[in-house]
Amino acid sequence: MKVLGIETSCDETGLAVYDTERGLLSHMLYSQAKIHAEYGGVVPEIASRDHVRKWVNLTEKCVAEAGISLDELDAVAYTAGPGLAGALFTGAVAGRVLAWTLGIKALGVHHMEGHLLAPMLETPAPAFPFVCLLVSGGHTQLVKVDGVGRYTLLGDTLDDAVGEAFDKTAKMLGLGYPGGPALAKAATRGSDAAFAFPRPMVRSDDLNFSFSGLKTAAITAFEKVNRDPASIDDIAASFELAAVDILAIKCQKALQQENMNSLVVAGGVAANLKLRALLDQKMNAIGGDLFFPRLEFCTDNGAMIAHAGALRLVAGEYAGDEVVVQPRWSLSAMTPPI
Ligand code: KG4
Ligand code: ZN
């Protein structure tokens, strides 16, 4: 089954063709980051308009690169949530109209399920069950994954998501948008031992997270040195170390609690090299298995949507006539494919 995947939940227009027999045939991404950088964050209306502007051209290119024609597609999968309502609608409507015209099925995909299953696009792919650390701009969750749609939430953030904390701290340090990659870059030039930032909740009995205290500590440190530009790289490095430390400690606790040794990390923050290195070291030490998507499939992309959609479409699941998007949509609400 050949599935066209469409991702438009935020500020990237992602397209891909995934074949359940041959794997990923093509993928394409257009990032609107430069447009939003001027405003210091994503402007929803601009995001929606730009998805509409880019979609036809990207789809044509992506299908051509897959070496097929449009009428060889068997189904269309589009991100139906969570995300920005207007942006989601652009991809949902485009995908549904295309499917309708081609006389094929369509399915709305849960964006976080897309992220969570993205490491399965790699070789070796993780096998169920595993513990997944889902870290993005809006989510910081530990999830026990027993199969597609079989998710048990083990831990969640009580305030900011870790990606959000990276973004807000970067903005405060004047590093611009998108903040996570900018902060990580500054961190490579600084000393991670320069500031001793807190690691909130690492000693709590549960698997929940809190990042707003760490963000505030970084802001306070910057104010204390009178916003001295020479301190930026050190604050960035110390913040990054504290953030990835917290994530690694909670991952280890989750594996212990569930008596498992397979860890999957996905979502935009999984692209953080310090996090990848630290988890690699920790998993090596305990003889566990660690899986990440390749860097470009950590952040938003069409491949993860085509892939997650295909796993459900091939099982016979598809959407009804009404085009529905769910800007808020909990991963716990997901069920196995029908
Ligand atoms: O998954 P994603 O592309 O979009 C959402 O679903 O939210 O994740 C975006 C988040 C942003 O907060 C961004 O700053 C963060 O991932 N991010 C990073 C890095 N690359 C992206 N955070 C830390 N280090 C990075 N290298
Ligand atoms: Zn995402």
Side-chain angles (χ1 to χ4, degrees):
M1 176 182 261
K2 292 179 197 63
V3 179
L4 176 73
I6 306 169
E7 157 62 31
T8 63
S9 68
C10 191
D11 61 343
E12 341 257 13
T13 316
L15 271 305
V17 178
Y18 180 82
D19 185 341
T20 49
E21 253 119 69
R22 291 158 60 209
L24 193 63
L25 300 185
S26 64
H27 64 96
M28 228 148 254
L29 188 81
Y30 169 75
S31 171
Q32 306 174 349
K34 275 202 185 112
I35 305 175
H36 299 288
E38 206 182 312
Y39 305 92
V42 180
V43 184
E45 180 64 22
I46 294 178
S48 306
R49 290 179 190 208
D50 207 54
H51 286 310
V52 174
R53 216 173 283 137
K54 298 292 177 341
W55 186 79
V56 171
N57 190 261
L58 275 172
T59 304
E60 270 182 343
K61 279 194 186 149
C62 193
V63 171
E65 198 178 285
I68 60 168
S69 57
L70 268 182
D71 54 19
E72 285 177 81
L73 287 172
D74 298 298
V76 179
Y78 53 86
T79 306
L84 303 170
L88 289 168
F89 260 123
T90 66
V93 171
R96 289 303 301 278
V97 171
L98 178 63
W100 179 47
T101 345
L102 294 172
I104 58 179
K105 301 293 187 201
L107 179 68
V109 172
H110 193 297
H111 181 84
M112 298 313 292
E113 178 169 76
H115 275 304
L116 188 152
L117 300 173
M120 294 173 72
L121 286 162
E122 311 300 343
T123 313
F128 301 120
F130 53 77
V131 167
C132 177
L133 173 70
L134 259 182
V135 274
S136 71
H139 292 76
T140 309
Q141 297 183 328
L142 276 161
V143 186
K144 179 166 169 265
V145 181
D146 288 301
V148 177
R150 297 176 63 203
Y151 311 129
T152 311
L153 187 64
L154 304 174
D156 206 341
T157 181
L158 303 181
D159 40 57
D160 290 354
V162 62
E164 187 183 357
F166 266 90
D167 293 337
K168 287 178 176 168
T169 305
K171 194 170 185 175
M172 177 276 303
L173 292 172
L175 294 169
Y177 168 88
L183 191 146
K185 195 169 168 204
T188 60
R189 300 184 294 257
S191 157
D192 58 18
F195 294 85
F197 290 143
R199 276 115 169 106
M201 295 191 66
V202 289
R203 273 179 217 94
S204 70
D205 287 337
D206 54 29
L207 295 170
N208 291 329
F209 301 89
S210 166
F211 287 98
S212 79
L214 171 59
K215 175 194 67 189
T216 307
I219 295 173
T220 310
F222 196 40
E223 299 295 344
K224 245 188 180 161
V225 296
N226 297 317
R227 306 180 75 83
D228 178 3
S231 69
I232 292 175
D233 295 347
D234 286 346
I235 294 179
S238 306
F239 168 91
E240 184 185 47
L241 178 64
V244 302
D245 235 4
I246 297 167
L247 295 173
I249 290 168
K250 292 283 177 170
C251 282
Q252 238 174 334
K253 280 194 175 179
L255 290 169
Q256 265 165 12
Q257 179 188 299
E258 297 305 315
N259 198 19
M260 289 166 77
N261 70 349
S262 184
L263 179 69
V264 162
V265 189
V269 183
N272 185 278
L273 298 181
K274 197 152 204 161
L275 176 66
R276 294 171 88 101
L278 181 62
L279 285 175
D280 199 36
Q281 189 189 319
K282 294 217 173 201
M283 292 304 283
N284 264 334
I286 61 167
D289 298 318
L290 177 63
F291 303 89
F292 284 104
R294 71 196 80 167
L295 288 179
E296 62 184 324
F297 291 168
C298 288
T299 42
D300 292 349
N301 65 86
M304 67 183 197
I305 301 304
H307 170 251
L311 296 181
R312 289 182 173 275
L313 283 153
V314 82
E317 186 173 326
Y318 56 88
D321 288 342
E322 209 176 315
V323 181
V324 180
V325 297
Q326 299 192 66
R328 290 177 160 274
W329 188 2
S330 161
L331 191 65
S332 311
M334 297 305 288
T335 51
I338 43 164

